[in-house]
Amino acid sequence: MASGIRDKVAILGMGCTRFGERWDCGPEDLMLEAFNEAIADAGIEAGQIEAAWFGVCLEENNVGKTAGPLAQALRLPRIAATRVENACATGTEALRGAAYAIAAGAYDIVLALGVEKLKDTGYGGLPARTRGVANDLWLPNSTAPGAFAQLASAYGAKHGIAMADLRRAMAHISIKSHSNASLNPKAHLRNKITEEDVLKAMTIAAPLGLYDCSGVSDGAACAILTTPEIALALKANAEIVTVKALEISVSNGEEASFNNWDGANIATAKTAAERAYRAAGINEPRSQIQMAEVHDCFSITEAVLMEDLGFSAPGRVIHDVLDGVFDLDGALPIVPDGGLKCFGHPIGASGLRMVYEVYQQLHGRAGERQLKNVDRGLTQNLGGHPHQNVSAVAIIGRAGA
Protein backbone atom coordinates (compact mmCIF):
# COMPACT_ATOMS: atom_id res chain seq x y z
CA MET A 1 0.00 0.00 0.00
CA ALA A 2 1.24 3.49 -0.86
CA SER A 3 2.69 5.33 2.13
CA GLY A 4 3.45 8.77 0.69
CA ILE A 5 6.71 10.68 1.04
CA ARG A 6 6.32 12.22 4.50
CA ASP A 7 9.77 12.74 6.05
CA LYS A 8 11.40 10.52 3.42
CA VAL A 9 12.99 13.47 1.59
CA ALA A 10 15.19 16.22 3.04
CA ILE A 11 16.11 19.53 1.47
CA LEU A 12 19.89 19.67 1.72
CA GLY A 13 20.36 23.09 0.12
CA MET A 14 18.51 25.77 -1.84
CA GLY A 15 19.31 28.78 -3.98
CA CYS A 16 17.34 31.56 -5.62
CA THR A 17 18.34 34.40 -7.91
CA ARG A 18 17.29 37.97 -7.62
CA PHE A 19 14.13 38.20 -9.73
CA GLY A 20 13.60 41.10 -12.11
CA GLU A 21 14.50 42.47 -15.52
CA ARG A 22 17.74 40.55 -15.84
CA TRP A 23 18.80 41.93 -19.22
CA ASP A 24 22.43 41.29 -18.29
CA CYS A 25 21.92 37.54 -17.96
CA GLY A 26 21.05 34.60 -20.14
CA PRO A 27 19.18 31.62 -18.68
CA GLU A 28 22.47 29.83 -18.07
CA ASP A 29 23.66 32.74 -15.88
CA LEU A 30 20.47 32.54 -13.82
CA MET A 31 20.81 28.77 -13.48
CA LEU A 32 24.35 29.20 -12.17
CA GLU A 33 23.35 31.95 -9.76
CA ALA A 34 20.71 29.75 -8.15
CA PHE A 35 22.82 26.58 -8.30
CA ASN A 36 25.92 28.15 -6.75
CA GLU A 37 23.92 29.30 -3.74
CA ALA A 38 22.23 25.90 -3.41
CA ILE A 39 25.40 23.82 -3.60
CA ALA A 40 27.22 26.08 -1.14
CA ASP A 41 24.26 25.75 1.20
CA ALA A 42 24.24 21.96 0.77
CA GLY A 43 27.98 21.72 1.40
CA ILE A 44 28.59 19.16 -1.35
CA GLU A 45 30.39 18.97 -4.69
CA ALA A 46 28.57 18.99 -8.02
CA GLY A 47 29.91 15.50 -8.72
CA GLN A 48 27.80 14.12 -5.85
CA ILE A 49 24.54 14.96 -7.65
CA GLU A 50 23.21 11.80 -9.29
CA ALA A 51 20.18 13.06 -11.23
CA ALA A 52 18.43 16.33 -12.07
CA TRP A 53 14.98 17.62 -12.97
CA PHE A 54 14.83 20.83 -14.99
CA GLY A 55 11.70 22.99 -15.07
CA VAL A 56 11.17 25.43 -17.94
CA CYS A 57 7.81 26.23 -19.51
CA LEU A 58 8.28 28.42 -22.59
CA GLU A 59 11.15 26.33 -23.89
CA GLU A 60 11.48 28.15 -27.21
CA ASN A 61 12.59 31.30 -25.41
CA ASN A 62 16.36 30.92 -25.25
CA VAL A 63 16.46 27.61 -23.40
CA GLY A 64 15.49 24.46 -25.30
CA LYS A 65 13.26 21.41 -25.20
CA THR A 66 15.55 19.03 -23.28
CA ALA A 67 17.51 19.10 -20.02
CA GLY A 68 20.68 19.59 -22.02
CA PRO A 69 20.91 23.34 -21.26
CA LEU A 70 20.88 22.57 -17.52
CA ALA A 71 23.57 19.90 -17.82
CA GLN A 72 25.70 22.22 -19.93
CA ALA A 73 25.29 25.33 -17.81
CA LEU A 74 26.15 23.47 -14.59
CA ARG A 75 28.64 21.05 -16.18
CA LEU A 76 26.84 18.13 -14.58
CA PRO A 77 28.86 14.90 -15.03
CA ARG A 78 26.68 13.20 -17.69
CA ILE A 79 24.04 12.24 -15.13
CA ALA A 80 20.39 11.50 -15.79
CA ALA A 81 18.63 14.82 -16.39
CA THR A 82 14.97 15.31 -17.31
CA ARG A 83 13.14 18.42 -18.50
CA VAL A 84 9.61 18.83 -17.14
CA GLU A 85 6.82 21.29 -17.86
CA ASN A 86 3.38 21.61 -16.26
CA ALA A 87 2.24 25.14 -17.12
CA CYS A 88 2.80 27.63 -14.30
CA ALA A 89 3.26 24.77 -11.81
CA THR A 90 6.45 23.71 -13.62
CA GLY A 91 8.77 24.61 -10.73
CA THR A 92 6.88 22.38 -8.32
CA GLU A 93 6.74 19.64 -10.95
CA ALA A 94 10.55 19.64 -11.08
CA LEU A 95 10.66 19.38 -7.30
CA ARG A 96 8.13 16.55 -7.35
CA GLY A 97 10.17 14.48 -9.80
CA ALA A 98 13.29 14.91 -7.71
CA ALA A 99 11.53 14.23 -4.40
CA TYR A 100 9.80 11.09 -5.62
CA ALA A 101 13.12 9.73 -6.91
CA ILE A 102 14.68 10.14 -3.48
CA ALA A 103 11.62 8.67 -1.72
CA ALA A 104 11.74 5.67 -4.07
CA GLY A 105 15.37 5.01 -3.17
CA ALA A 106 16.55 5.43 -6.77
CA TYR A 107 19.17 8.07 -5.89
CA ASP A 108 20.89 9.53 -2.84
CA ILE A 109 21.32 13.18 -3.92
CA VAL A 110 19.38 14.94 -6.69
CA LEU A 111 18.76 18.40 -8.07
CA ALA A 112 15.61 20.31 -9.04
CA LEU A 113 15.99 23.63 -10.84
CA GLY A 114 13.55 25.94 -12.59
CA VAL A 115 14.30 28.95 -14.78
CA GLU A 116 12.53 31.32 -17.15
CA LYS A 117 13.59 34.38 -19.15
CA LEU A 118 10.22 36.01 -19.73
CA LYS A 119 11.50 39.53 -20.34
CA ASP A 120 13.26 38.38 -23.50
CA THR A 121 9.92 37.50 -25.13
CA GLY A 122 9.04 41.16 -25.57
CA TYR A 123 5.52 40.63 -24.20
CA GLY A 124 4.00 42.67 -21.38
CA GLY A 125 2.43 39.48 -20.01
CA LEU A 126 2.84 35.81 -20.76
CA PRO A 127 3.56 35.21 -24.47
CA ALA A 128 0.34 34.67 -26.42
CA ARG A 129 1.40 31.74 -28.56
CA THR A 130 -0.85 28.88 -29.58
CA ARG A 131 -0.56 25.90 -27.25
CA GLY A 132 -2.35 23.44 -29.54
CA VAL A 133 -5.77 22.88 -31.06
CA ALA A 134 -7.58 22.41 -27.72
CA ASN A 135 -6.54 25.87 -26.53
CA ASP A 136 -7.36 27.36 -29.91
CA LEU A 137 -10.87 25.92 -29.55
CA TRP A 138 -11.55 26.81 -25.92
CA LEU A 139 -9.42 29.93 -25.42
CA PRO A 140 -9.27 31.80 -28.73
CA ASN A 141 -9.37 35.28 -27.18
CA SER A 142 -8.76 34.57 -23.50
CA THR A 143 -6.27 36.44 -21.37
CA ALA A 144 -5.11 35.65 -17.84
CA PRO A 145 -6.40 38.98 -16.39
CA GLY A 146 -9.75 38.43 -18.10
CA ALA A 147 -10.10 34.89 -16.79
CA PHE A 148 -9.23 35.81 -13.21
CA ALA A 149 -11.43 38.92 -13.33
CA GLN A 150 -14.32 36.52 -13.91
CA LEU A 151 -13.21 34.63 -10.78
CA ALA A 152 -13.66 37.86 -8.81
CA SER A 153 -17.10 38.51 -10.25
CA ALA A 154 -18.24 34.96 -9.60
CA TYR A 155 -16.91 34.95 -6.05
CA GLY A 156 -18.65 38.22 -5.21
CA ALA A 157 -21.92 37.03 -6.74
CA LYS A 158 -21.86 33.67 -4.97
CA HIS A 159 -21.26 35.13 -1.52
CA GLY A 160 -23.27 38.33 -1.89
CA ILE A 161 -20.25 40.59 -1.47
CA ALA A 162 -20.38 44.10 -2.88
CA MET A 163 -17.67 44.71 -5.44
CA ALA A 164 -16.43 47.77 -3.52
CA ASP A 165 -15.85 45.60 -0.43
CA LEU A 166 -14.14 42.89 -2.45
CA ARG A 167 -11.88 45.46 -4.11
CA ARG A 168 -10.85 46.83 -0.70
CA ALA A 169 -9.83 43.33 0.40
CA MET A 170 -7.97 42.78 -2.86
CA ALA A 171 -6.19 46.10 -2.35
CA HIS A 172 -5.13 45.03 1.14
CA ILE A 173 -3.62 41.85 -0.32
CA SER A 174 -1.54 43.85 -2.80
CA ILE A 175 -0.47 46.37 -0.15
CA LYS A 176 0.62 43.49 2.10
CA SER A 177 2.65 41.87 -0.66
CA HIS A 178 4.47 45.09 -1.53
CA SER A 179 5.18 45.77 2.15
CA ASN A 180 6.66 42.27 2.54
CA ALA A 181 8.70 42.61 -0.67
CA SER A 182 10.19 45.89 0.53
CA LEU A 183 12.06 43.75 3.08
CA ASN A 184 13.32 41.25 0.49
CA PRO A 185 16.43 42.07 -1.59
CA LYS A 186 15.60 39.31 -4.11
CA ALA A 187 12.16 40.66 -5.01
CA HIS A 188 11.57 42.51 -8.29
CA LEU A 189 9.12 45.17 -7.01
CA ARG A 190 10.14 46.55 -3.62
CA ASN A 191 8.03 49.70 -3.50
CA LYS A 192 5.37 50.17 -0.84
CA ILE A 193 1.90 51.16 -2.07
CA THR A 194 -1.28 52.57 -0.54
CA GLU A 195 -4.95 51.71 -0.85
CA GLU A 196 -5.42 54.88 -2.89
CA ASP A 197 -2.69 53.73 -5.30
CA VAL A 198 -4.49 50.45 -5.84
CA LEU A 199 -8.06 51.71 -6.12
CA LYS A 200 -7.20 54.60 -8.43
CA ALA A 201 -4.88 52.63 -10.74
CA MET A 202 -5.80 51.90 -14.33
CA THR A 203 -8.18 49.02 -14.94
CA ILE A 204 -6.67 45.94 -16.59
CA ALA A 205 -9.75 43.68 -16.61
CA ALA A 206 -12.54 44.87 -14.32
CA PRO A 207 -12.49 44.60 -11.37
CA LEU A 208 -8.73 43.98 -11.56
CA GLY A 209 -6.52 47.04 -11.69
CA LEU A 210 -2.82 47.43 -12.32
CA TYR A 211 -1.79 46.65 -8.73
CA ASP A 212 -3.97 43.53 -8.62
CA CYS A 213 -1.74 41.84 -11.21
CA SER A 214 1.64 40.16 -10.81
CA GLY A 215 4.58 41.28 -12.91
CA VAL A 216 6.76 39.70 -15.58
CA SER A 217 10.29 38.79 -14.53
CA ASP A 218 13.34 36.65 -15.14
CA GLY A 219 14.60 34.30 -12.45
CA ALA A 220 15.69 30.85 -11.32
CA ALA A 221 15.47 28.76 -8.16
CA CYS A 222 17.09 25.49 -7.16
CA ALA A 223 16.81 22.70 -4.57
CA ILE A 224 19.18 19.86 -3.70
CA LEU A 225 17.41 16.88 -2.13
CA THR A 226 18.55 13.79 -0.27
CA THR A 227 17.34 11.46 2.48
CA PRO A 228 17.05 12.70 6.07
CA GLU A 229 19.72 10.19 7.10
CA ILE A 230 22.24 11.48 4.55
CA ALA A 231 21.36 15.08 5.38
CA LEU A 232 22.05 14.46 9.05
CA ALA A 233 25.33 12.73 8.24
CA LEU A 234 26.44 15.65 6.07
CA LYS A 235 25.19 18.33 8.47
CA ALA A 236 25.56 16.98 11.99
CA ASN A 237 23.48 18.86 14.58
CA ALA A 238 21.89 21.00 11.86
CA GLU A 239 18.16 21.62 11.52
CA ILE A 240 16.86 19.13 8.93
CA VAL A 241 14.00 20.31 6.72
CA THR A 242 11.86 17.61 5.14
CA VAL A 243 9.03 17.28 2.65
CA LYS A 244 5.79 16.36 4.39
CA ALA A 245 3.63 16.13 1.28
CA LEU A 246 3.73 17.04 -2.39
CA GLU A 247 0.50 16.63 -4.33
CA ILE A 248 -0.75 17.72 -7.76
CA SER A 249 -4.31 17.89 -9.08
CA VAL A 250 -5.22 18.55 -12.73
CA SER A 251 -8.58 19.69 -14.12
CA ASN A 252 -10.43 16.95 -15.97
CA GLY A 253 -12.63 19.25 -18.04
CA GLU A 254 -15.65 19.50 -15.76
CA GLU A 255 -15.13 23.16 -14.93
CA ALA A 256 -14.57 24.11 -18.56
CA SER A 257 -17.23 21.96 -20.18
CA PHE A 258 -20.16 21.62 -17.78
CA ASN A 259 -22.30 23.90 -15.65
CA ASN A 260 -21.81 22.33 -12.21
CA TRP A 261 -18.86 24.62 -11.42
CA ASP A 262 -19.87 27.99 -10.00
CA GLY A 263 -16.74 29.83 -11.16
CA ALA A 264 -15.94 31.05 -7.64
CA ASN A 265 -13.12 28.72 -6.63
CA ILE A 266 -10.11 26.77 -7.87
CA ALA A 267 -11.34 23.18 -7.70
CA THR A 268 -7.91 21.60 -8.15
CA ALA A 269 -6.41 23.65 -5.31
CA LYS A 270 -8.94 22.28 -2.88
CA THR A 271 -8.34 18.72 -4.08
CA ALA A 272 -4.55 18.98 -3.97
CA ALA A 273 -4.69 20.57 -0.51
CA GLU A 274 -6.96 17.85 0.88
CA ARG A 275 -4.57 15.17 -0.39
CA ALA A 276 -1.53 17.01 0.97
CA TYR A 277 -3.11 17.53 4.40
CA ARG A 278 -4.02 13.86 4.59
CA ALA A 279 -0.48 12.84 3.61
CA ALA A 280 1.09 15.23 6.14
CA GLY A 281 -1.28 14.34 8.96
CA ILE A 282 -2.85 17.80 9.11
CA ASN A 283 -6.50 18.21 10.06
CA GLU A 284 -6.59 21.88 11.08
CA PRO A 285 -4.57 23.75 8.43
CA ARG A 286 -5.15 27.22 9.85
CA SER A 287 -3.48 26.29 13.12
CA GLN A 288 -1.06 23.58 11.95
CA ILE A 289 0.43 25.59 9.07
CA GLN A 290 2.39 28.66 10.19
CA MET A 291 2.99 30.34 6.81
CA ALA A 292 2.14 29.86 3.15
CA GLU A 293 3.41 30.87 -0.26
CA VAL A 294 0.52 30.76 -2.74
CA HIS A 295 0.12 31.44 -6.43
CA ASP A 296 -0.97 35.07 -6.14
CA CYS A 297 -0.91 35.79 -9.87
CA PHE A 298 -3.76 38.22 -9.12
CA SER A 299 -4.98 39.55 -5.77
CA ILE A 300 -8.31 37.76 -6.20
CA THR A 301 -6.46 34.48 -6.72
CA GLU A 302 -4.81 34.76 -3.31
CA ALA A 303 -8.14 35.63 -1.70
CA VAL A 304 -10.00 32.68 -3.21
CA LEU A 305 -7.14 30.30 -2.46
CA MET A 306 -7.38 31.12 1.24
CA GLU A 307 -10.76 29.38 1.24
CA ASP A 308 -9.74 26.57 -1.11
CA LEU A 309 -6.78 25.77 1.18
CA GLY A 310 -8.94 25.81 4.31
CA PHE A 311 -7.41 28.96 5.80
CA SER A 312 -10.71 30.87 5.71
CA ALA A 313 -14.30 29.70 5.96
CA PRO A 314 -16.38 29.93 2.76
CA GLY A 315 -17.38 33.52 2.06
CA ARG A 316 -15.32 34.90 4.96
CA VAL A 317 -11.93 35.61 3.40
CA ILE A 318 -12.44 39.35 2.95
CA HIS A 319 -13.01 39.67 6.70
CA ASP A 320 -9.85 37.71 7.49
CA VAL A 321 -7.88 39.78 4.97
CA LEU A 322 -9.06 43.12 6.30
CA ASP A 323 -8.55 41.93 9.90
CA GLY A 324 -4.87 41.35 9.11
CA VAL A 325 -4.90 37.57 9.62
CA PHE A 326 -2.60 37.05 6.63
CA ASP A 327 -0.29 40.02 7.22
CA LEU A 328 3.37 39.53 8.13
CA ASP A 329 2.50 40.01 11.81
CA GLY A 330 -0.82 38.19 11.55
CA ALA A 331 -1.87 34.74 12.72
CA LEU A 332 -1.06 33.11 9.36
CA PRO A 333 1.36 35.12 7.18
CA ILE A 334 0.80 34.63 3.45
CA VAL A 335 3.54 35.33 0.87
CA PRO A 336 5.95 36.85 3.41
CA ASP A 337 8.54 37.22 0.63
CA GLY A 338 6.25 39.34 -1.59
CA GLY A 339 4.86 36.54 -3.73
CA LEU A 340 4.28 36.51 -7.47
CA LYS A 341 2.88 40.00 -7.04
CA CYS A 342 6.33 41.40 -6.34
CA PHE A 343 8.67 38.71 -7.64
CA GLY A 344 6.90 38.40 -10.96
CA HIS A 345 6.32 35.00 -12.47
CA PRO A 346 9.20 33.45 -14.43
CA ILE A 347 7.16 30.31 -14.90
CA GLY A 348 9.70 27.53 -14.43
CA ALA A 349 11.11 29.14 -11.28
CA SER A 350 8.06 30.25 -9.28
CA GLY A 351 7.18 26.96 -7.56
CA LEU A 352 10.75 26.47 -6.36
CA ARG A 353 11.00 30.13 -5.33
CA MET A 354 8.02 29.55 -3.04
CA VAL A 355 9.71 26.55 -1.40
CA TYR A 356 12.89 28.61 -1.04
CA GLU A 357 11.04 31.12 1.14
CA VAL A 358 9.62 28.39 3.38
CA TYR A 359 13.08 26.84 3.63
CA GLN A 360 14.65 30.19 4.59
CA GLN A 361 11.99 30.83 7.22
CA LEU A 362 12.46 27.37 8.74
CA HIS A 363 16.21 28.04 9.01
CA GLY A 364 15.71 31.53 10.47
CA ARG A 365 17.41 33.24 7.52
CA ALA A 366 14.66 35.57 6.32
CA GLY A 367 16.11 38.75 7.77
CA GLU A 368 13.68 41.57 8.49
CA ARG A 369 10.70 39.47 7.44
CA GLN A 370 11.61 36.49 9.65
CA LEU A 371 8.59 34.90 11.29
CA LYS A 372 8.43 33.42 14.77
CA ASN A 373 7.71 29.79 15.60
CA VAL A 374 7.57 28.33 12.09
CA ASP A 375 7.48 24.52 12.03
CA ARG A 376 5.59 23.94 8.77
CA GLY A 377 4.96 25.95 5.65
CA LEU A 378 2.79 25.35 2.61
CA THR A 379 3.29 26.27 -1.02
CA GLN A 380 0.56 26.30 -3.66
CA ASN A 381 1.56 26.67 -7.31
CA LEU A 382 -1.13 27.08 -9.99
CA GLY A 383 -0.94 26.76 -13.75
CA GLY A 384 -3.69 27.69 -16.19
CA HIS A 385 -6.99 29.53 -15.81
CA PRO A 386 -9.60 29.11 -13.06
CA HIS A 387 -11.63 26.74 -15.22
CA GLN A 388 -8.76 24.58 -16.57
CA ASN A 389 -5.57 24.23 -14.60
CA VAL A 390 -3.02 22.26 -12.62
CA SER A 391 -2.55 22.91 -8.91
CA ALA A 392 0.42 21.75 -6.84
CA VAL A 393 0.57 21.83 -3.04
CA ALA A 394 3.72 21.13 -1.05
CA ILE A 395 4.07 21.03 2.73
CA ILE A 396 7.60 21.55 4.04
CA GLY A 397 8.64 21.43 7.69
CA ARG A 398 11.17 20.58 10.33
CA ALA A 399 12.04 16.90 10.59
CA GLY A 400 9.61 15.29 13.01
CA ALA A 401 7.22 18.26 13.06
Side-chain angles (χ1 to χ4, degrees):
M1 180 178 291
S3 59
I5 62 171
R6 183 178 180 182
D7 288 332
K8 295 178 181 178
V9 181
I11 302 177
L12 187 61
M14 290 202 74
C16 182
T17 69
R18 178 179 61 81
F19 280 40
E21 297 184 345
R22 301 297 299 271
W23 303 113
D24 58 325
C25 295
E28 62 282 351
D29 300 301
L30 296 175
M31 289 185 237
L32 278 168
E33 187 177 326
F35 176 72
N36 286 338
E37 180 185 352
I39 201 157
D41 182 34
I44 62 170
E45 302 293 331
Q48 293 175 260
I49 297 171
E50 300 170 312
W53 279 259
F54 180 44
V56 59
C57 184
L58 300 171
E59 68 284 339
E60 287 82 2
N61 298 325
N62 314 305
V63 182
K65 292 181 178 294
T66 74
L70 175 72
Q72 293 166 30
L74 307 186
R75 292 293 187 264
L76 299 176
R78 299 187 180 90
I79 61 173
T82 303
R83 177 189 167 270
V84 299
E85 186 269 318
N86 212 346
C88 299
T90 292
T92 308
E93 188 65 79
L95 182 70
R96 187 171 74 122
Y100 282 21
I102 291 292
Y107 301 103
D108 287 331
I109 300 176
V110 300
L111 172 75
L113 188 147
V115 68
E116 210 81 49
K117 277 285 290 175
L118 280 184
K119 296 305 296 185
D120 291 4
T121 69
Y123 281 82
L126 299 184
R129 291 193 176 92
T130 179
R131 302 290 282 181
V133 293
N135 272 20
D136 288 345
L137 174 65
W138 291 101
L139 304 169
N141 298 303
S142 179
T143 66
F148 284 89
Q150 293 178 50
L151 180 68
S153 299
Y155 179 85
K158 177 180 180 178
H159 296 291
I161 298 170
M163 190 52 67
D165 294 332
L166 184 57
R167 287 199 68 209
R168 279 191 60 236
M170 288 160 52
H172 186 97
I173 287 171
S174 296
I175 294 164
K176 165 186 66 67
S177 297
H178 276 263
S179 178
N180 294 349
S182 71
L183 305 176
N184 192 338
K186 293 195 175 186
H188 183 175
L189 304 175
R190 301 187 61 201
N191 56 311
K192 292 186 177 183
I193 58 175
T194 67
E195 182 175 284
E196 183 179 16
D197 292 331
V198 179
L199 297 180
K200 290 188 175 181
M202 70 175 72
T203 299
I204 302 300
L208 304 180
L210 177 65
Y211 289 106
D212 293 304
C213 308
S214 64
V216 174
S217 300
D218 303 326
C222 177
I224 297 173
L225 308 181
T226 187
T227 66
E229 295 77 16
I230 293 173
L232 194 57
L234 291 171
K235 294 185 171 184
N237 302 317
E239 184 76 61
I240 303 301
V241 171
T242 61
V243 178
K244 308 297 181 180
L246 214 173
E247 297 288 338
I248 284 185
S249 174
V250 181
S251 296
N252 64 0
E254 286 187 22
E255 304 101 305
S257 308
F258 301 93
N259 62 4
N260 59 348
W261 177 60
D262 59 21
N265 74 323
I266 308 294
T268 58
K270 184 175 182 180
T271 299
E274 288 171 349
R275 293 174 183 164
Y277 293 149
R278 188 162 54 248
I282 289 173
N283 50 41
E284 294 183 1
R286 183 152 163 171
S287 62
Q288 291 177 280
I289 299 290
Q290 286 82 46
M291 63 160 292
E293 287 284 320
V294 301
H295 200 97
D296 56 323
C297 49
F298 301 93
S299 54
I300 187 60
T301 319
E302 180 176 324
V304 169
L305 286 170
M306 293 304 94
E307 297 185 10
D308 294 336
L309 296 172
F311 297 152
S312 286
R316 298 295 300 175
V317 70
I318 70 166
H319 303 285
D320 287 340
V321 166
L322 293 173
D323 287 344
V325 171
F326 306 125
D327 291 356
L328 195 64
D329 59 354
L332 178 54
I334 303 297
V335 296
D337 66 348
L340 271 73
K341 176 67 188 70
C342 295
F343 268 78
H345 179 30
I347 304 171
S350 288
L352 281 160
R353 187 268 304 159
M354 296 175 184
V355 175
Y356 177 84
E357 176 65 13
V358 176
Y359 178 79
Q360 295 295 90
Q361 291 283 352
L362 288 166
H363 279 295
R365 304 174 185 168
E368 293 181 85
R369 64 186 189 284
Q370 179 63 49
L371 305 174
K372 297 178 181 178
N373 304 318
V374 179
D375 290 321
R376 298 185 200 88
L378 176 145
T379 70
Q380 187 277 336
N381 192 197
L382 177 70
H385 287 179
H387 63 279
Q388 186 76 56
N389 56 70
V390 52
S391 186
V393 172
I395 299 174
I396 311 295
R398 303 182 193 279

